[in-house]
Amino acid sequence: MNDTQAKYPQLRFKGFADPWEQCKLGDVAKITMGQSPNSKNYTDNPKDHILVQGNADMKDGQVHPRIWTTEITKIADKGDLILSVRAPVGDIGKTSYDVVIGRGVAAIKGNEFIFQLLKRMKTVGYWTKYSTGSTFESINSLEINNAVINLPKEHEQNKVGKILSYMDHAITLHEEKKRQLERLKSALLQKMFADKSGYPVVRFEGFSDEWEERKLGDAVSISSGVTGDATLQDGEYRLTRIESISQGTLNVARLGFTNKKPDQKYLLNLGDILYSNINSLSHIGKVALVDTTGIYHGINLLRFQMRNDVDSEFLFQRLNTTPMKNWAVSHANPAVSQASINQTELSKQPISLPTITEQQKIGSFFKQLDDTIALHQRKLDLLKEQKKGFLQKMFV
């Protein structure tokens, strides 16, 4: 690509044909390097000046007040861009406040186009060349001011900045909605299952009976998986592994494989639950609901098969509650080479169950909530991928 071609983006709005002009960031935007106040002047009083020291003071591209100071060193005005100049170098955000800036950041007076351009520079690793090999990853004033950028005319800058800002807003909305749903689910998981009294705090209308306490081994049939080679990257038969459990689902991309056909009794059924009773403490108690056919039960995961009066979706959600997860960790034996839960002890674990009708009602409710959360995640993934593509093609 020659210099003339390099000054035209791959994707641009109709009506724009002029080449972009190469310049230095410091020639088009005022840059103020931060200077940290004396730590003795730090406070937790919101009436003092907000202090921004680095990435820890920003969330989702915005300054979130965390520390305050009575000493003013260098400042950034409301609306300024905040660039992280120390690890992680290149992270960029905005401030909706007048703030004091510490030596971990720089303030840049730039428009939405410059903001999006700096995001792209971070994504493509522009700043890496300045910090590679350094003992402490950082960039200085000269490197920021001399950063080479390409700019279109102001009108085109505004158009590009506007559409990318719109996408950021849509991403933020979906992220917040997803967080709200996750918080709602977390709260309801604690309230819609019976406590020691035998009754849940929150209940669907029409149900009032006390829940029956049983042993887990009486509610499900618990079995171990087939032993054998599941380390192949490809093979005729798919086997579950510890790594197969991902965020409550059976991740088929992380299955093991074998060319030796396991016994048919190890073939998983839809609605079976896989339970991690061995591995590190961070994996103990993880569960997945089987929603894919043609997979065999491998080692290091226990298989729960429901009795006739137990709903698999209900039990899956029950196992995801905080008390059950805490029980799993507290009963794991870390003294062995891998932390583990004794299967016999697990089968004795008490569990409260309502009627099958109420189980199905609760299971269906949480399934719908999970599906809605997953929908927002898919939309998020799509929007982020689209934004990534725009950042690649709408800039020189």
Side-chain angles (χ1 to χ4, degrees), residues 34-74:
Q35 179 183 338
S36 298
N38 192 309
S39 60
K40 70 180 182 180
N41 295 316
Y42 293 0
T43 78
D44 56 4
N45 185 355
K47 292 183 179 180
D48 293 328
H49 306 285
I50 299 168
L51 175 61
V52 179
Q53 302 182 98
N55 194 53
D57 301 303
M58 292 189 286
K59 180 182 176 184
D60 298 331
Q62 292 284 338
V63 167
H64 280 247
R66 183 177 65 98
I67 299 174
W68 290 261
T69 178
T70 56
E71 179 186 357
I72 297 176
T73 49
K74 297 296 183 68

Side-chain angles (χ1 to χ4, degrees), residues 287-300:
V287 294
L289 189 62
V290 178
D291 59 359
T292 306
T293 58
I295 298 173
Y296 289 88
H297 179 202
I299 60 174
N300 292 344

Side-chain angles (χ1 to χ4, degrees), residues 131-148:
S131 53
T132 301
S134 303
T135 315
F136 186 77
E137 186 182 352
S138 64
I139 49 177
N140 60 40
S141 175
L142 185 63
E143 291 161 347
I144 299 171
N145 277 278
N146 288 338
V148 177

Side-chain angles (χ1 to χ4, degrees), residues 192-194 198 200 203 209-213 314 352-354 358:
M192 293 187 70
F193 293 92
R203 205 164 189 181
D209 294 340
E210 182 179 357
W211 288 24
E212 178 189 3
E213 186 174 294
F314 169 87
S352 295
L353 298 173
E358 189 172 2

